[in-house]
Amino acid sequence: MPRQFIIPDKAKCLGCCTCLAACMLTHREEGAVPCPRLFLTPTAQGSVPLQCRQCDQAPCAEVCPVHAFEVQGEVVVLNEKKCVGCGICVLACPIGCIEIQAARQTAATGITLTTSILLPLTRSEQDEKKMRKIAVKCDMCYFRPEGPACVKVCPTEALRLVDEEDIRFWNLQRRQAYASSIGFQGAAE
């Protein structure tokens, strides 16, 4: 099975945040940290959603001291129960799509609430609020048979699930267009 990942089309993105809401709700229902695993990034032409590219080498998994990342099929999945929130994976991610969240834990239900944290929680804050730091990243909704929730709900189809075959096809089209533009008559393969 070719590796899959999600690519955005910034020309189609409205910045409506429907993808963020779907991601958060889907993961909350699964019992994971209830926060989006993609990031809406402003650009000069509008906004564009970004998420993990499921790297072949998975630098996040290579540097994790507690081995909280696992490759399941073609997806790099973070085991939130193993994560200690050290943030090394954040530094290793080549596109910046891992974030540390502060999650409140309860004995009965596990993780219930998150807030994005920019500063580390002190030990007294962790004890007082029963909070712990956890990394979050896109896992392609690997637990959903119908695929990633963000792709399914996007009203403009700005998010697309692609695989390596799609990339090869687009590269071939570009090579052929370039060959035609310079007047080359042979096959561009």
Side-chain angles (χ1 to χ4, degrees), residues 112-124:
T112 59
L113 173 73
T114 65
T115 56
S116 181
I117 60 173
L118 300 175
L119 300 173
L121 294 173
T122 65
R123 175 56 85 192
S124 63

Side-chain angles (χ1 to χ4, degrees), residues 103-105 121 123-132:
R104 181 173 292 134
Q105 288 185 263
L121 294 173
R123 175 56 85 192
S124 63
E125 287 173 319
Q126 289 176 8
D127 292 342
E128 178 183 315
K129 299 176 184 176
K130 302 283 190 237
M131 302 286 273
R132 77 178 187 115

Side-chain angles (χ1 to χ4, degrees), residues 2-152:
R3 184 173 65 100
Q4 293 186 326
F5 50 96
I6 300 166
I7 61 169
D9 183 341
K10 67 181 175 193
K12 291 182 177 180
C13 181
L14 300 173
C16 67
C17 299
T18 304
C19 54
L20 300 173
C23 184
M24 182 189 73
L25 292 172
T26 299
H27 284 85
R28 183 178 71 190
E29 289 169 3
E30 185 64 18
V33 173
C35 67
R37 271 104 171 115
L38 65 159
F39 307 93
L40 200 59
T41 305
T43 68
Q45 294 81 29
S47 57
V48 63
L50 295 174
Q51 63 253 76
C52 177
R53 294 290 182 251
Q54 310 303 325
C55 300
D56 285 337
Q57 302 301 318
C60 54
E62 289 180 14
V63 300
C64 182
V66 296
H67 308 288
F69 292 90
E70 304 163 1
V71 178
Q72 294 185 8
E74 299 296 322
V75 180
V76 181
V77 177
L78 172 67
N79 181 336
E80 293 177 0
K81 291 178 181 163
K82 284 184 177 181
C83 180
V84 295
C86 67
I88 296 172
C89 56
V90 174
L91 299 173
C93 180
I95 55 173
C97 286
I98 300 176
E99 187 172 68
I100 299 294
Q101 295 285 330
R104 181 173 292 134
Q105 288 185 263
T106 63
T109 60
I111 301 165
T112 59
L113 173 73
T114 65
T115 56
S116 181
I117 60 173
L118 300 175
L119 300 173
L121 294 173
T122 65
R123 175 56 85 192
S124 63
E125 287 173 319
Q126 289 176 8
D127 292 342
E128 178 183 315
K129 299 176 184 176
K130 302 283 190 237
M131 302 286 273
R132 77 178 187 115
K133 297 186 292 181
I134 299 175
V136 292
K137 67 170 279 310
C138 175
D139 55 16
M140 303 275 294
C141 296
Y142 72 96
F143 47 84
R144 281 174 43 105
E146 59 268 45
C150 59
V151 173
K152 198 90 164 152

